Amino acid sequence: VINGVATGAMNLGDGGSDTLIAAIAHGIPMRLIAPLVSVNPYSLLVSESIMSFADLKGKTVMLGTKQDVSAIVFTRLAAQAGLAIGDFSIVIGGNSSTRYAALASGNAQGAILAQPFDFIAESKGMHVLGSAKNAMKDWIFSSVATNAAWANANRATVVAFLRTLRRAMQFGYLHKAETVTALVNAAHVEPSIAAASYDLDFTKWRAYDPS
């Protein structure tokens, strides 16, 4: 996402706020223009046989990178059990779908996942060993970034996009059935999984802030 936005190959991109901020701090020509997910949605899912961090120690765990928010969440969860990230075999998978596939295939015994992949994993017999909500607070998880030069030349388009994003968030809070259907169609998950994701994101966490 950063490469695409920075080079102008894409005009807008959704990425982890920590990664986007780090890129901007290093001089990458982007601007962060809006929060997207306003809570940290990650959970640590583990194989059915893993019942504790002691069981997971020395096993393979898949994270986004060794420095991003998935690693921060995992490091904090491990620290609560008296362990460090070096106590595990860390492998890298750039998104939750990749990490879920590794966990489901047995190539990893633990993985940091977001919705709806955490619910899918649980439906297949895997379980949650820890959640970001128990390890960190007040984290703007993901944001929208834009290419700075393109944004300067296309301000009206940027404003229209942000207004549309705001209306989409408002629509989600007001129209559960249609929003669940949209997730089913986009992520190709079971309606029950999409509904559980909706209930968590829109009802319990209120993860999207239309203001």
Side-chain angles (χ1 to χ4, degrees), residues 3-206:
N3 288 338
V5 172
T7 61
M10 59 182 74
N11 305 130
L12 298 148
D14 159 34
S17 299
D18 57 316
T19 306
L20 297 175
I21 291 168
I24 293 167
H26 284 83
I28 301 298
M30 303 189 320
R31 291 177 181 169
L32 195 157
I33 57 173
L36 193 59
V37 179
S38 298
V39 299
N40 192 317
Y42 275 149
S43 293
L44 172 62
L45 276 291
V46 294
S47 303
E48 190 172 1
S49 62
I50 304 294
M51 303 307 297
S52 67
F53 266 95
D55 295 335
L56 189 61
K57 183 178 180 181
K59 303 293 195 306
T60 299
V61 176
M62 184 169 275
L63 307 176
T65 75
K66 291 186 178 181
Q67 292 85 30
D68 74 347
V69 62
S70 67
I72 294 171
V73 170
F74 181 73
T75 299
R76 291 194 176 190
L77 291 172
Q80 292 175 350
L83 297 171
I85 195 168
D87 292 318
F88 307 88
S89 175
I90 303 298
V91 294
I92 303 304
N95 53 54
S96 287
S97 60
T98 299
R99 298 194 291 270
Y100 166 74
L103 185 64
S105 67
N107 289 324
Q109 287 72 57
I112 295 289
L113 303 178
Q115 295 77 49
F117 297 98
D118 53 350
F119 289 118
I120 297 173
E122 287 188 282
S123 74
K124 302 297 184 181
M126 293 158 266
H127 55 271
V128 175
L129 194 58
S131 298
K133 64 183 176 62
N134 298 324
M136 57 203 308
K137 307 293 182 183
D138 300 326
W139 188 280
I140 302 299
F141 176 72
S142 63
S143 297
V144 178
T146 185
N147 178 278
W150 178 84
N152 287 336
N154 296 274
R155 176 177 173 81
T157 301
V158 175
V159 171
F161 170 80
L162 292 176
R163 286 175 173 165
T164 302
L165 181 62
R166 180 172 183 264
R167 288 197 300 271
M169 291 176 176
Q170 293 171 330
F171 182 91
Y173 283 109
L174 295 174
H175 301 89
K176 176 178 179 177
E178 293 91 336
T179 304
V180 168
T181 298
L183 182 56
V184 169
N185 292 338
H188 307 294
V189 297
E190 295 294 328
S192 60
I193 298 293
S197 297
Y198 179 95
D199 290 338
L200 191 63
D201 289 333
F202 283 92
T203 303
K204 182 178 180 180
W205 286 347
R206 297 190 69 82

